[in-house]
Amino acid sequence: MLPARPASPTEASGVAEAGARGKPRALVTGGAGFIGSHLCEQLLAEGYRVVCMDNLRTGSLENIAHLEDEPNFEYVEHDVTTYMGIPGELDEVYHFASPASPKDFTRIPIPILKVGALGTYNALGLARLKGARFMLASSSEVYGDPLIHPQTEEYWGNVNPVGIRGVYDEAKRYAESLTMAYHRHHRLQTRIVRIFNTYGPRMRPDDGRMIPNFISQVLSGRPLTVYGDGSQTRSVQYIDDLIEGIWLLMKSAEVRPINVGNPVEYTVREIAEMIVEISGCEGELVFEPLPEDDPRRRCPDISRAREVLGWEPRVPPREGLKKTFDWFAGRSNRPEASSVKR
């Protein structure tokens, strides 16, 4: 298992040697999380030296254990809401730290707000100090329960600032505003990716979001819990498509926020039925009341991503869901899975 160590502004970094070898160096906050761990993999594959930072509140060392022997990978256990001291040069900072599960909104609301505010402030300050390009992982949650469909980047959203979901929605909206302030006032090179519903391997089984919920329930032989009547829609994208969009955005000259998501809508009931079909098991659906402020529809307009990045999702839902189901099924068969630190 990877050793955890605190960040220290005085420890040796070896970055001068890395620069001599021509390898860029990137920091990924939240790097032991679902999306962050896949991003670390992508950067390593592109020839980067990667510093993965996480406090393991919702991330897991299990997600990055396979990177332990990578010579260009470094793990730092640290809370981004406190001072971030990374020695040596940095070329890029990817701020992906933040609990994102609906369960977290009631369990740890204050830390979510602190990551969006203090964490973003610290990450931006570090990027400015290092002269690094900065990317903020924002979210479709900035649109709240949208009143226009699909959602373009110009839409300002319909968010309840005092509702349960407001701690995450407003944290991301504030983080976007702070990022743009650094771009305008300090001329920092910034990027903002608005991530729509993404799924894939390494999601937390107890995440509370739709797809891990459905898969965990069908694997354990329980009924699948559908909130509302199941007619509300989601546009879901596989993790590989998201990572490609993130990579293309960071390499582009686009400063404006960009939606990265799948513009094809499915009802929640359709997604539940696809997972049941993939599992080959019997699957009963049970219906419960819709949570407070849960959006009825969420669908990105990806015209900007198509035009600026040449990007659109390529993994069909059934293919992505099968890969995700197989990962969850394999994990549930491992006796050590329940003991891994989370």
Side-chain angles (χ1 to χ4, degrees):
M1 190 57 68
L2 289 162
R5 64 174 182 78
S8 168
T10 59
E11 62 187 317
S13 67
V15 176
E17 292 82 0
R21 294 195 301 269
K23 287 184 180 293
R25 188 172 187 239
L27 168 68
V28 180
T29 72
F34 162 48
I35 294 175
S37 62
H38 286 276
L39 178 56
C40 287
E41 283 182 336
Q42 172 72 20
L43 291 167
L44 288 168
E46 296 290 344
Y48 277 65
R49 286 173 54 89
V50 176
V51 180
C52 166
M53 179 180 286
D54 207 295
N55 68 353
L56 303 181
R57 186 184 290 273
T58 57
S60 170
L61 291 177
E62 180 184 15
N63 291 337
I64 53 174
H66 63 294
L67 304 177
E68 180 177 5
D69 295 328
E70 288 281 349
N72 293 318
F73 181 77
E74 176 185 2
Y75 169 65
V76 176
E77 184 168 334
H78 185 73
D79 185 339
V80 298
T81 66
T82 63
Y83 171 75
M84 293 166 60
I86 298 293
E89 297 176 358
L90 283 175
D91 298 283
E92 295 171 0
V93 173
Y94 296 80
H95 183 40
F96 278 65
S98 181
S101 164
K103 283 188 174 181
D104 297 332
F105 301 165
T106 53
R107 185 176 67 90
I108 47 172
I110 307 302
I112 289 173
L113 286 162
K114 289 177 70 175
V115 167
L118 297 175
T120 305
Y121 174 76
N122 288 333
L124 282 163
L126 180 63
R128 183 186 175 210
L129 176 67
K130 304 292 186 178
R133 183 173 291 188
F134 176 89
M135 176 178 284
L136 172 70
S138 188
S139 168
S140 61
E141 290 291 335
V142 300
Y143 300 121
D145 188 4
L147 303 177
I148 67 166
H149 304 279
Q151 291 85 58
T152 67
E153 290 88 351
E154 285 76 19
Y155 179 51
W156 292 352
N158 177 40
V159 173
N160 176 4
V162 296
I164 291 173
R165 298 179 77 95
V167 296
Y168 185 75
D169 298 2
E170 296 291 12
K172 290 299 186 184
R173 289 160 69 92
Y174 175 82
E176 285 196 13
S177 182
L178 188 58
T179 298
M180 289 307 300
Y182 265 72
H183 170 70
R184 295 186 182 108
H185 189 69
H186 293 304
R187 299 183 180 178
L188 186 67
Q189 284 296 311
T190 60
R191 306 290 182 266
I192 298 173
V193 56
R194 288 181 179 163
I195 300 170
F196 280 69
N197 295 66
T198 303
Y199 67 95
R202 301 184 205 143
M203 296 189 85
R204 290 154 51 198
D206 61 348
D207 183 90
R209 283 179 279 193
M210 172 181 63
I211 289 175
N213 266 5
F214 289 159
I215 293 177
S216 296
Q217 288 169 339
V218 77
L219 282 172
S220 62
R222 292 174 289 154
L224 280 68
T225 304
V226 175
Y227 294 101
D229 61 7
S231 65
Q232 64 270 33
T233 66
R234 293 294 183 270
S235 57
V236 295
Q237 71 178 333
Y238 188 60
I239 183 66
D240 289 357
D241 285 329
L242 171 64
I243 296 301
E244 181 186 29
I246 290 168
W247 172 253
L248 291 171
L249 175 56
M250 185 59 110
K251 298 307 169 188
S252 77
E254 184 57 65
V255 174
R256 299 171 299 172
I258 285 194
N259 292 335
V260 175
N262 193 332
V264 179
E265 290 180 85
Y266 293 88
T267 67
V268 170
R269 182 165 192 154
E270 285 174 332
I271 293 170
E273 290 169 348
M274 271 194 274
I275 290 172
V276 170
E277 177 189 333
I278 288 166
S279 73
C281 303
E282 295 292 329
E284 176 190 359
L285 305 186
V286 295
F287 298 87
E288 295 190 4
L290 201 65
E292 179 184 346
D293 296 327
D294 196 64
R296 297 288 304 179
R297 293 183 70 186
R298 186 73 67 67
C299 179
D301 182 318
I302 63 168
S303 300
R304 183 176 293 173
R306 285 182 173 131
E307 177 183 349
V308 175
L309 308 180
W311 176 92
E312 60 184 307
R314 295 181 290 180
V315 179
R318 276 184 172 79
E319 178 184 329
L321 287 171
K322 177 66 165 60
K323 291 179 180 179
T324 307
F325 178 85
D326 289 346
W327 182 84
F328 271 86
R331 187 184 185 280
S332 67
N333 292 330
R334 295 207 313 272
E336 74 277 11
S338 61
S339 64
V340 174
K341 184 177 179 180
R342 292 193 159 272

